[in-house]
Amino acid sequence: MNNASPMLATDDIEVAGVTRTFAVDARSVFALRDVSLLCGAGSFTALIGPSGCGKSTLLRIIAGLERPDAGTARIGGATPAQKCRTGALGVAFQDAALLPWRTVRQNIALPLQVLKRNSADTHALIDGLIRLVGLQGFEEARPAQLSGGMRQRVAIARTLVTDPSVLLLDEPFGALDQILRRSMNIELQRIWMEKRPTTILVTHGIDEAVFLADRVAVMQRNPGRIAQVIEIPFARPRQVELFSAPEFHRLADGIATCLYAGTNQ
Amino acid sequence: MRAALTAVIAFIAWEVLGDLHLVAQGALPSPSGIALQWWQDRAIYPPHIRATLQPALIGFVAGNLVAAVAAGVFVLVPGFERLLRGFNIAVFAIPPIALAPVLVITLPGDLPQVVLAAVGVYFPTMVMTLLGLEDIDPRPIDVIRSYGGGPLAVMRWLRLRSGLPGLLGGLRVAAPAAILGAILAEFGSGARWGLGSFLLGSLGRGDPARIWGIGLVATFMAAIAYGLCALLARRSTASMAAVTISAGRIEAGTLDRKARATRIVLSLGALLAPFVIWWGILKAFAVSPVIARTPFGIWQYLISDPAAGDARADIMQALSQSLPLAALGLMIALVVALALAVTGTLWRGLNSTLMPAALFLQTMPLVALAPIIVLLFGRGMATTLVVTVTVSFFPAFISIAQGLSQVPATSLDLLSVYGASRWQKLRLVSLPMCLPYLCAAARLTAPAALLGVMIAEWLATGYGLGGLLNMARGELDYGMIWAVAFIAVTVSVGFYQLVRFIEGNLLARYGVMAGGG
């Protein structure tokens, strides 16, 4: 598993008819109603929508952290529960979720420990990831000594340590400032192009979604659902200049219109 | 429904066991036996209750007044808090039973009970009020300061109001502590009246039903006091304050040279302050030098007197008997508490069921129930251990369960993504996350453990520090009474500081726990 080539065959993600309800004050609210989504192997999909549209819930269902009331989520044809034991999933949350008593290196190694994969080349693998996210020299630092952006980069490196075929990112840059966020977007694109995992990114940022994704799924709430899927045709690698291109803004405006149409209902 | 059924079955089992004298040759009386005895004793209870309640009440009021004023001063003059930190820790760590004989020989009438009740009250109220006064939203402070308001204005408009829940929460914990203090002082005074004296007398006569009756009455009184203060807190504040006590906080960060120098001076002052206060009280009350021992007097008794060697040998022997038991009892309590708290997180909802009971029982005067344990377990080492574990368990459980509940959900989710087992989650995340809370539990529980050991030794086994103290009291060996009290407090404070040190290193390693990614 550790010796797999970077261009490994990736898994597709298939969400079919997923419904999830929560009880609020004795009445049930649809966090998600009959949501279906197909993400081809190696694709990059962004989920965007207002708070409470169920986008995080959808991601958690795909990651196997929550169960749907109806419908299924499958990764490469298997259930999330089966898939997660193989280390095929990499998940990053808005919170870096680092363990404060572990060094950067030990934090990145955590998934390998859980999967009981302790081979000799682990050290080199982690060094490579630390270089990839640009944290050379901080290998032995503890989370408290790092800035918010650096912690988030450790979390990204940890996400990649199992060489996952699927990346599930829940607003990983949500707490960062605009400038840092942009440079992280560019880094994420670079990392993604190198390994090509099937990726779903949950975000609040329209520009982030348009810049990174092949497709943007716009979600609306009450009930949580996917209102529209918009294709993003720009060639890769996408450069920073794209943020100021007119066609970029046309697409972003289209998504914004779709989002606001949902909130006015 | 099922809980009610379990309770009924347990009650019936208790009745049968008691009626047939099945436990420890009748040391566990049946509920009906206790009720019957209680009814026969109904005429003697009121004077005993009054004799305990009155000094407890006076001590409660006095201790809380001092605590509230002290907390206010500590907020306005932070240096003062640093200076009195040693004193505060000593008050927290004093095993009340060690102080009881000293108070009995120095103070007249029921003043020993009043003072011991006040000492029990001071620390919880002071700490929780201080937390309430300090832990306020910094933005309104900026608003007041931007209109030229100083620290007094901040106190007047913000802190007093926001400190109220803390104060009231403190009262709730303090109320049963006042009753416990009064009872423990009676253990040491040999007074005619009071629930403590009543318990002691009945223990001598070996009267299980009556001892249980008195124990239940004492618990009931503490519960009522707790309930009244809880009601007051609920009525006057919408929000609930924290219920447990955090004894002191760990400070981090670097200091410049001048600040460091000030800190060293204050730390030295903090070390000396308890001795100055001790000496000052003796002078202020003009206690007869025959009875009183100043810090210098202790030095003479233990070091420079011709007979000092004998006294030292006695104390060393007592320590060698008491400390291992206290450590063992503390360890058992921590392990059981940890095991139970961990089990509680694995079976969802178990901790939320156990927690209210633990919070309530933590404040009950469990030490006063030691005679019941003596009845059940005899006069050997088992009794000492059971008493120690009983009084240490609840505070330990509360602290650890809170630590486990603070484990961030995302860290656990992260492990789920890799299919981690419950055991892996526990080993890799929950237990390390819980370690500082385990330290806090050890630190907060250690004085209780020492108190438990000394009470059991005093009442039952006659060994160790408690036995030595009881003997010295009987022989009116004033030097020994003071020396044992001094050693007990020193050991307790020393252990407290040791754990603080370990905890400080741990926390520094953990960095900023809450916001730390």
Side-chain angles (χ1 to χ4, degrees), chain B residues 269 271-282 295:
Chain B
L271 205 61
L272 286 176
F275 296 95
V276 174
I277 293 171
W278 168 5
W279 186 81
I281 289 175
L282 290 182

Side-chain angles (χ1 to χ4, degrees), chain A residues 210 213-217 228-234 238 251 255:
Chain A
V210 174
D214 302 322
R215 299 180 311 153
V216 177
Q228 198 180 348
V229 177
I230 296 168
E231 298 287 330
I232 310 294
F234 305 124
R238 297 169 184 170
L251 272 172
I255 291 169

Side-chain angles (χ1 to χ4, degrees), chain A:
Chain A
M1 203 70 182
N2 286 329
N3 298 325
S5 73
M7 296 301 293
L8 70 165
T10 55
D11 292 314
D12 62 350
I13 298 171
E14 188 191 352
V15 176
V18 161
T19 295
R20 181 85 172 91
T21 53
F22 291 110
V24 178
D25 298 336
R27 78 204 160 84
S28 63
V29 173
F30 283 100
L32 294 169
R33 188 156 76 185
D34 197 21
V35 171
S36 296
L37 180 70
L38 190 65
C39 305
S43 68
F44 196 125
T45 308
L47 292 180
I48 194 165
S51 306
C53 71
K55 51 192 191 305
S56 286
T57 305
L58 182 56
L59 197 83
R60 290 174 64 81
I61 287 172
I62 297 170
L65 294 172
E66 270 177 47
R67 284 175 192 283
D69 296 325
T72 55
R74 294 198 164 261
I75 299 168
T79 65
Q82 291 165 338
K83 219 46 188 171
C84 70
R85 283 190 190 82
T86 67
L89 269 59
V91 178
F93 306 97
Q94 180 167 8
D95 181 281
L98 303 180
L99 299 181
W101 55 91
R102 286 178 166 239
T103 63
V104 166
R105 190 190 293 284
Q106 290 166 337
N107 261 298
I108 296 174
L110 181 66
L112 298 178
Q113 257 179 298
V114 175
L115 294 168
K116 299 197 173 72
R117 277 194 218 160
N118 281 313
S119 59
D121 52 338
T122 301
H123 208 79
L125 170 72
I126 292 173
D127 275 345
L129 286 170
I130 289 175
R131 260 198 309 283
L132 186 72
V133 297
L135 284 175
Q136 300 98 308
F138 291 94
E139 288 85 353
E140 302 305 319
R142 287 184 206 282
Q145 298 165 287
L146 304 177
S147 70
M150 290 160 94
R151 282 181 210 156
Q152 211 57 47
R153 280 188 271 171
V154 177
I156 297 284
R158 182 186 57 199
T159 309
L160 298 172
V161 75
T162 59
D163 212 351
S165 57
V166 170
L167 268 189
L168 303 172
L169 310 174
D170 191 359
E171 291 186 60
F173 313 128
L176 306 183
D177 64 72
Q178 184 73 21
I179 300 165
L180 194 57
R181 192 172 174 146
R182 253 188 208 177
S183 68
M184 292 295 287
N185 285 163
I186 290 158
E187 271 184 74
L188 177 59
Q189 179 186 232
R190 181 168 56 78
I191 293 164
W192 177 75
M193 287 186 69
E194 211 171 294
K195 313 239 175 187
R196 284 283 174 160
T198 312
T199 301
I200 297 182
L201 169 74
V202 166
T203 179
H204 274 124
I206 297 176
D207 57 345
E208 182 172 80
V210 174
F211 182 78
L212 283 168
D214 302 322
R215 299 180 311 153
V216 177
V218 181
M219 295 186 68
Q220 287 173 355
R221 64 181 163 200
N222 296 331
R225 64 195 184 277
I226 294 177
Q228 198 180 348
V229 177
I230 296 168
E231 298 287 330
I232 310 294
F234 305 124
R236 293 184 192 269
R238 297 169 184 170
Q239 311 292 340
V240 206
E241 294 73 37
L242 185 62
F243 279 114
S244 33
E247 39 308 2
F248 181 90
H249 284 285
R250 218 171 5 258
L251 272 172
D253 288 347
I255 291 169
T257 310
C258 185
L259 277 173
Y260 288 120
T263 55
N264 290 339
Q265 274 173 6

Side-chain angles (χ1 to χ4, degrees), chain B residues 121-172:
Chain B
V121 162
Y122 169 80
F123 193 80
T125 303
M126 188 277 291
V127 166
M128 291 183 69
T129 309
L130 190 60
L131 271 181
L133 292 177
E134 280 187 336
D135 188 23
I136 58 174
D137 190 343
R139 286 164 300 183
I141 300 187
D142 290 341
V143 172
I144 288 186
R145 287 176 55 189
S146 67
Y147 292 105
L152 280 174
V154 173
M155 177 65 92
R156 160 92 176 74
W157 297 110
L158 290 179
R159 294 195 197 275
L160 284 185
R161 181 62 191 78
S162 69
L164 197 61
L167 173 67
L168 293 172
L171 293 189
R172 187 171 29 160

Side-chain angles (χ1 to χ4, degrees), chain B residues 275-300:
Chain B
F275 296 95
V276 174
I277 293 171
W278 168 5
W279 186 81
I281 289 175
L282 290 182
K283 286 284 154 219
F285 284 85
V287 186
S288 150
V290 178
I291 295 169
R293 291 291 181 279
T294 58
F296 180 66
I298 301 268
W299 171 269
Q300 279 182 323

